[in-house]
Amino acid sequence: MRIYNTLTRKKEELIPIEPGHVRIYACGPTVYNFIHIGNARPICAFDVLRRYLKNRGYQVTYVQNFTDVDDKIIRKANEEGVSAAEIAKRYIAEYQTDAHGLNVMDADVHPTVTEHMDLIINIVKKLVDTGHAYAASNGDVYFRTASFAEYGKLSGQPIEELQAGARIDVNDVKEAPLDFAVWKAAKPGEPYWDSPWGKGRPGWHIECSAMSCHYLGETFDLHCGGQDLIFPHHENEIAQSEAANGKPFAHYWMHNGYINIDNKKMSKSLGNFFTVREVAEKYGYEVIRYMMVQAHYRSPINYCKELLDACKASLERLYACRDTLDRAIAAAGSGSVSEQAKAIFSSRKAQFVTAMDDDLNTADGMTAIFELVRDLNRMSADASISKEQLEAGAALFDELTGIMGLLYNRTKTEEIPQKVLELVKARNEARKVKDFEKADALRNAIADLGYAVRETRQGTEITKLSI
């Protein structure tokens, strides 16, 4: 598999540090509100990556944090007159409701900042002891960016250019404008922890360095997140982690593209800010999931009603195909899988794998799935196709849609009694020889058992009659 590595700005073969085992860290949400549709993109995109790697036989260790202490959380807590811990706990639960609604698998570890304060303080101390960080007069501790010669390598901006564009504050206690906080002195009314530099709490960037290295090692395979995190968050993670450990931080970096709203950047000020919960109430979670996977993860998505409607229609086509397969399997006789069908299934699987191996190209992966849909609809409509062939097609369909995390709302229909299936088969045989009187009698017998049967373009449909 080749992925586009933001660090090198080119596609590279994914070669894990430990053969067969991919270790991934994904930046999680700051839990002070419901997640918006922009937040949903990385969790869906990299959930597909995880599913695909597992399908290809890799062991995957996936870590995604929760930032549970932050300025925004504190502000929300003060507004509501509750503790920051209460706000964080509430919105972690709301995140999990939305993530599960989107069929996103739980991470192997979901670390929180407040549970790992000792780790964070230790890495800050290491940075201070080695001269990569310093305590300022106001009690904050800052990373000394000038001490890390490669600062800017992820965003591709030399430190001189970054410094030229940085805001300069004459009252700033920092040595240089680009220096960033790894520890913040406590302010009145804020939660705090004791440290060698006084009471305070971590800066945003340092938490991910501490937790990723703890769970995945000081050098791990892949770090992923939204494009908006490249600078400064991920740039700062690299600087402080490599300065502290003297080793490469992550070998590969994957970043998903933005979501625009009706061709405009999503923002609260423009009034075009939508939470996942709001959209799910109108369209359901799975339509949102489909919208995220139908485009290549690095391409921008223009969120609009027309796109949601199109995604809903496409999703319905997938469900219709799978339901038709169930009916066709129930009505089909036993037999073999034809060599032609084997070739078709092999070709569609290869087409899908080729797409996904090319930088997780889910757009082309969905094309392969819909070409399989066309093949399966044609087979379902052919009464001569064996049950075994249809089941083989259904298994491939389930495998590919499962990698995309789709069709998870499909409920198994009540198993049709064997006696009904035998009568349906006999009716089909009577229709083939144009014995319509016998076919009608068999249809009535089927109805007496509580089932209706009718012919569709995709084959024989059996449904349970309502009482």
Side-chain angles (χ1 to χ4, degrees), residues 366-378:
M366 289 305 305
T367 297
I369 289 174
F370 275 105
E371 291 187 8
L372 177 64
V373 165
R374 184 188 61 198
D375 300 328
L376 294 176
N377 283 341
R378 186 170 60 248

Side-chain angles (χ1 to χ4, degrees), residues 294-348:
Q294 53 83 37
H296 189 284
Y297 77 95
R298 286 194 290 119
S299 300
I301 290 178
N302 185 44
Y303 170 96
C304 58
K305 182 181 183 300
E306 291 75 15
L307 176 59
L308 285 170
D309 289 340
C311 289
K312 182 173 183 289
S314 294
L315 196 56
E316 287 171 352
R317 281 183 61 201
L318 295 178
Y319 273 98
C321 173
R322 193 60 183 80
D323 291 344
T324 298
L325 266 174
D326 275 344
R327 293 191 293 268
I329 288 168
S334 294
S336 60
V337 181
S338 72
E339 292 303 315
Q340 181 184 18
K342 289 178 183 178
I344 289 172
F345 297 152
S346 177
S347 174
R348 294 295 175 236

Side-chain angles (χ1 to χ4, degrees), residues 245-318:
N245 301 320
K247 300 175 184 177
F249 181 42
H251 282 177
Y252 305 91
W253 291 80
M254 294 176 74
H255 293 94
N256 61 272
Y258 291 116
I259 291 184
N260 297 319
I261 310 295
D262 293 319
N263 292 310
K264 295 179 181 178
K265 185 177 179 180
M266 182 173 66
S267 72
K268 290 181 179 178
S269 62
L270 292 176
N272 62 355
F273 186 90
F274 299 101
T275 67
V276 167
R277 194 73 55 90
E278 289 169 338
V279 180
E281 286 173 358
K282 294 181 181 178
Y283 284 90
Y285 283 105
E286 193 169 6
V287 173
I288 302 172
R289 170 100 191 190
Y290 186 94
M291 179 179 71
M292 299 304 175
V293 305
Q294 53 83 37
H296 189 284
Y297 77 95
R298 286 194 290 119
S299 300
I301 290 178
N302 185 44
Y303 170 96
C304 58
K305 182 181 183 300
E306 291 75 15
L307 176 59
L308 285 170
D309 289 340
C311 289
K312 182 173 183 289
S314 294
L315 196 56
E316 287 171 352
R317 281 183 61 201
L318 295 178

Side-chain angles (χ1 to χ4, degrees), residues 3-78:
I3 60 170
Y4 182 85
N5 187 353
T6 309
L7 186 63
T8 59
R9 284 169 283 285
K10 63 182 180 181
K11 288 183 186 179
E12 297 179 350
E13 184 180 355
L14 178 62
I15 303 174
I17 296 167
E18 177 188 341
H21 185 184
V22 182
R23 293 176 171 86
I24 302 173
Y25 185 84
C27 283
T30 300
V31 283
Y32 69 99
N33 208 333
F34 295 97
I35 61 170
H36 56 71
I37 58 168
N39 301 136
R41 188 166 196 192
I43 64 173
C44 290
F46 301 120
D47 180 69
V48 173
L49 173 67
R50 184 183 179 192
R51 290 169 182 269
Y52 181 64
L53 290 172
K54 285 175 173 285
N55 176 265
R56 300 290 284 159
Y58 288 96
Q59 177 187 349
V60 180
T61 300
Y62 194 88
V63 179
Q64 180 193 291
N65 73 302
F66 289 118
T67 297
D68 63 342
V69 57
D70 176 88
D71 290 341
K72 294 176 181 177
I73 296 171
I74 294 167
R75 190 179 307 121
K76 181 91 166 183
N78 290 338

Side-chain angles (χ1 to χ4, degrees), residues 51-324:
R51 290 169 182 269
Y52 181 64
L53 290 172
K54 285 175 173 285
N55 176 265
R56 300 290 284 159
Y58 288 96
Q59 177 187 349
V60 180
T61 300
Y62 194 88
V63 179
Q64 180 193 291
N65 73 302
F66 289 118
T67 297
D68 63 342
V69 57
D70 176 88
D71 290 341
K72 294 176 181 177
I73 296 171
I74 294 167
R75 190 179 307 121
K76 181 91 166 183
N78 290 338
E79 288 172 358
E80 296 191 13
V82 299
S83 69
E86 186 175 332
I87 293 294
K89 181 180 179 181
R90 179 198 309 169
Y91 286 106
I92 286 174
E94 297 293 3
Y95 166 87
Q96 289 170 333
T97 295
D98 287 333
H100 293 160
L102 292 166
N103 198 30
V104 172
M105 296 187 293
D106 288 333
D108 296 302
V109 188
H110 275 296
T112 63
V113 177
T114 56
E115 293 173 333
H116 295 81
M117 203 58 67
D118 288 346
L119 290 175
I120 295 168
I121 290 172
N122 284 341
I123 193 172
V124 174
K125 188 175 186 303
K126 188 186 292 188
L127 290 169
V128 171
D129 290 345
T130 56
H132 289 290
Y134 58 92
S137 58
N138 65 349
D140 292 346
V141 180
Y142 292 96
F143 182 82
R144 184 177 279 122
T145 53
S147 73
F148 186 69
E150 294 184 285
Y151 191 78
K153 64 181 179 179
L154 183 67
S155 56
Q157 301 178 75
I159 193 167
E160 296 80 8
E161 292 182 13
L162 291 169
Q163 286 174 333
R167 186 184 64 183
I168 298 174
D169 186 342
V170 294
N171 297 317
D172 206 330
V173 296
K174 298 187 292 184
E175 291 179 356
L178 284 178
D179 293 353
F180 55 88
V182 289
W183 187 260
K184 295 181 176 182
K187 297 182 179 67
E190 291 187 352
Y192 62 83
W193 289 260
D194 291 323
S195 81
W197 316 281
K199 300 181 187 303
R201 57 187 172 88
W204 175 34
H205 316 296
I206 197 70
E207 64 188 63
C208 288
S209 290
M211 292 186 285
S212 61
C213 292
H214 177 70
Y215 289 102
L216 300 173
E218 292 178 348
T219 302
F220 56 93
D221 297 301
L222 174 61
H223 198 311
C224 53
Q227 184 179 336
D228 57 310
L229 297 181
I230 294 174
F231 187 87
H233 185 51
H234 289 165
E235 193 75 75
N236 291 350
E237 277 190 63
I238 290 175
Q240 63 202 9
S241 301
E242 297 189 0
N245 301 320
K247 300 175 184 177
F249 181 42
H251 282 177
Y252 305 91
W253 291 80
M254 294 176 74
H255 293 94
N256 61 272
Y258 291 116
I259 291 184
N260 297 319
I261 310 295
D262 293 319
N263 292 310
K264 295 179 181 178
K265 185 177 179 180
M266 182 173 66
S267 72
K268 290 181 179 178
S269 62
L270 292 176
N272 62 355
F273 186 90
F274 299 101
T275 67
V276 167
R277 194 73 55 90
E278 289 169 338
V279 180
E281 286 173 358
K282 294 181 181 178
Y283 284 90
Y285 283 105
E286 193 169 6
V287 173
I288 302 172
R289 170 100 191 190
Y290 186 94
M291 179 179 71
M292 299 304 175
V293 305
Q294 53 83 37
H296 189 284
Y297 77 95
R298 286 194 290 119
S299 300
I301 290 178
N302 185 44
Y303 170 96
C304 58
K305 182 181 183 300
E306 291 75 15
L307 176 59
L308 285 170
D309 289 340
C311 289
K312 182 173 183 289
S314 294
L315 196 56
E316 287 171 352
R317 281 183 61 201
L318 295 178
Y319 273 98
C321 173
R322 193 60 183 80
D323 291 344
T324 298

Side-chain angles (χ1 to χ4, degrees), residues 408-423:
Y408 54 95
N409 288 312
R410 197 172 78 86
T411 55
K412 295 233 178 245
T413 55
E414 182 179 341
E415 188 173 346
I416 299 171
Q418 185 60 35
K419 178 63 176 175
V420 172
L421 296 177
E422 290 171 358
L423 291 172

